[in-house]
Amino acid sequence: MGFGEDAAMNGRGSKEVEDFMSGLIKRNPGETEFHQAVQEVVESVMPVVLDNEEYRKAQILERMTEPDRIIIFRVTWETDDGCIRANRAWRIQFNGAIGPYKGGLRFHPSVNQSVLKFLGFEQTFKNSLTGLPMGGAKGGANFNPKGKSDREVMRFCQSLMTELHRHVGEHTDVPAGDIGVGPREISYLFGQYKRLENRHTGVLTGKGLSFGGSHLRKEATGYGCVIFCQSMFEERGDSIEGKRISVSGAGNVAIYAVEKAIALGAKVITMSDSTGFIHDPDGIDEDKLTFIKLLKERKRVSLEGYPDKYSGASYHAGKRPWAVATDIAMPCATQNEISGEDARELLGNGVQAVCEGANMPTELDAAHAFVEAGILYGPAKAANAGGVAVSGLEQTQNAERRVWKAERVESELSTIMKSIHDKCVEHGRDGDRINYVTGANIGGFLKVAEAMRSYGAV
Ligand code: NDP
Ligand code: 2IT
């Protein structure tokens, strides 16, 4: 489907959205993921911009869709058997209006400039929604950590930081993890930064607890996503307790989303990875999740072996979990993992809510279908903001040179997720429904727009 052809675009400002998008596509040829992320935001905020002459005169939207800067560099490293390899890495400092740049690093063979621009753009709105002073950024490399030894990953991380260290800093830009970048990679990156700068400072988040990390950072994105989902149900006098949840992914976000969902009494019936998905109609309980953590966090192998241990379950190679009937879909793997066809299948099976742990997991026509159907649809920039929110709290702890107790971090995470939910309700109310997409986009946009307008021409 081309931009401008969609039914959901027939609202006020649809002509302006179309004109804006055709300019953006011309300026950023071939960057389809970036186009998609911008389209979704511009559809929501165009009416606000049309109502505000100052924003129009200041070209706020045009400036907000242009990164502050993009740093691209080669990362050269050595394999265990002495061969030299080179990868391409980026740091995209997208928008620094409301605070130092903040956002993750992704290591995956699919990483390119379009993917990182969409992620950096989304991050700007997400970080604004948290209420913390953080600008938006993203980075990463087209490096595949799969099948590499720990020492190869270490050499790659050290080489990457040898260039990146001059562009980041606790008051400038603070990276963290994302796909393929977890505690192991953050530790190697931080060790190299310290060696180069001779300063122990909060330049990365997601650090180990022994060297400046925060309690609950590992759990924060998944926990926060489930708290957001619970808030959507509570808003209409319901709860996730007893509901079936289909989760995709089996990485950091998915594992801790499942952990929180179990704690709140929901029944998680699927998880997936890049090889396929598991369906467990009895529900994944705490013991089964411990086994999944062993497979994915320690052994780094596929979920394929799960039904050998739990005979009621099945494994489906090469498939996504969306054809299984469920009450709540929680995509926690990667972008564009729910197509229009998947959305129709989910809706046909009576799905009541979709809550996004991954960034932009839903294709544009699928997102429109969820909004039109009037189900609870929590978009990524609101629903998965818990991770970066606790990263912000890690920065505060580093600046104070203190470590907060886990209970304090968990309570602040819960407060932040509920306040993001309330912002979505405030800006997304549409008759007796709440359009969380509009709410999140406008809620995130206003603070950044106001800061940019205040600075004048910068
Ligand atoms: P991980 O690397 O820990 O896990 C990613 C999971 O998704 C793995 O199970 C992986 O499968 C699967 N996956 C990755 N790429 C694909 C693909 N192309 N097709 C199918 N499956 C895939 O990453 P995270 O859990 O950290 O990130 C997951 C999502 O959440 C991403 O969209 C990320 O941007 C987003 N996010 C992450 C945050 C964080 O704090 N980490 C915060 C907010 C959002 P396999 O195991 O086989 O590799
Ligand atoms: O997409 C995201 O919000 C993240 N990968 C987390 C970013 C962060 O700085 O903690």
Side-chain angles (χ1 to χ4, degrees), residues 104 106-108 110 118-119 123 126 138 146 176-182 217-218 220-222 248-255 272-276 296 300-303 320 331-335 337 356-361 380 383-388 391:
R106 177 178 290 191
F107 293 171
H108 194 270
S110 64
F118 113 64
L119 288 163
Q123 197 78 44
K126 183 193 311 191
K138 202 81 186 190
K146 285 214 181 109
D178 194 79
I179 293 177
V181 178
R217 174 60 190 90
K218 186 176 62 169
T221 312
S248 67
N252 173 263
V253 178
I255 284 175
S272 72
D273 61 21
S274 55
T275 70
K296 301 306 299 186
R300 299 176 190 270
V301 296
S302 126
L303 291 169
R320 298 160 168 174
C332 297
T334 192
Q335 65 271 8
E337 52 167 319
E356 297 181 340
N359 285 307
M360 203 170 76
N384 75 28
V388 76
S391 278

Side-chain angles (χ1 to χ4, degrees), residues 55-233:
Y55 290 168
R56 290 204 309 280
K57 271 175 66 183
Q59 290 214 321
I60 289 289
L61 263 189
E62 286 77 359
R63 287 158 61 203
M64 223 183 258
T65 48
E66 194 64 37
D68 289 354
R69 67 187 64 76
I70 300 180
I71 299 143
I72 312 183
F73 53 101
R74 187 182 69 220
V75 180
T76 309
W77 56 282
E78 196 179 350
T79 62
D80 287 341
D81 56 5
C83 297
I84 306 291
R85 294 283 175 265
N87 286 92
R88 189 177 296 165
W90 291 258
R91 185 67 181 167
I92 303 194
Q93 298 178 333
F94 212 102
N95 189 302
I98 65 168
Y101 301 105
K102 183 81 196 87
L105 294 171
R106 177 178 290 191
F107 293 171
H108 194 270
S110 64
V111 163
N112 60 39
Q113 192 157 303
S114 169
V115 168
L116 294 178
K117 277 174 75 174
F118 113 64
L119 288 163
F121 178 72
E122 288 267 307
Q123 197 78 44
T124 304
F125 296 83
K126 183 193 311 191
N127 293 4
S128 164
L129 279 169
T130 66
L132 301 173
M134 301 184 290
K138 202 81 186 190
N142 59 2
F143 170 75
N144 187 357
K146 285 214 181 109
K148 306 288 190 300
S149 71
D150 287 349
R151 300 187 66 76
E152 287 174 328
V153 171
M154 178 185 78
R155 286 193 290 273
F156 179 80
C157 288
Q158 290 180 338
S159 180
L160 183 136
M161 187 52 89
T162 302
E163 173 60 33
L164 188 65
H165 83 104
R166 59 185 114 244
H167 306 291
V168 296
E170 71 275 30
H171 299 302
T172 313
D173 183 358
V174 180
D178 194 79
I179 293 177
V181 178
R184 174 182 64 173
E185 291 74 18
I186 293 292
S187 305
Y188 291 145
L189 290 163
F190 187 74
Q192 181 71 352
Y193 182 86
K194 236 170 73 63
R195 176 155 74 157
L196 292 165
E197 295 265 329
N198 194 23
R199 289 187 321 124
H200 197 299
T201 183
V203 68
L204 291 163
T205 59
K207 300 186 290 300
L209 275 175
S210 60
F211 55 94
S214 171
H215 286 290
L216 263 295
R217 174 60 190 90
K218 186 176 62 169
E219 294 85 353
T221 312
Y223 279 20
C225 186
V226 174
I227 296 170
F228 190 88
C229 189
Q230 179 75 306
S231 302
M232 291 198 296
F233 276 94

Side-chain angles (χ1 to χ4, degrees), residues 415-435:
T415 306
I416 291 173
M417 292 317 297
K418 286 177 184 153
S419 108
I420 294 173
H421 175 267
D422 293 348
K423 267 181 218 159
C424 293
V425 172
E426 180 190 342
H427 297 288
R429 198 172 280 290
D430 179 11
D432 56 356
R433 282 186 189 176
I434 292 144
N435 183 334

Side-chain angles (χ1 to χ4, degrees), residues 5-27:
E5 291 168 18
D6 204 274
M9 279 190 51
N10 296 330
R12 182 166 163 256
S14 58
K15 172 77 173 66
E16 286 83 357
V17 171
E18 217 172 295
D19 291 348
F20 183 86
M21 286 309 303
S22 81
L24 183 115
I25 290 165
K26 248 184 234 141
R27 290 192 297 281

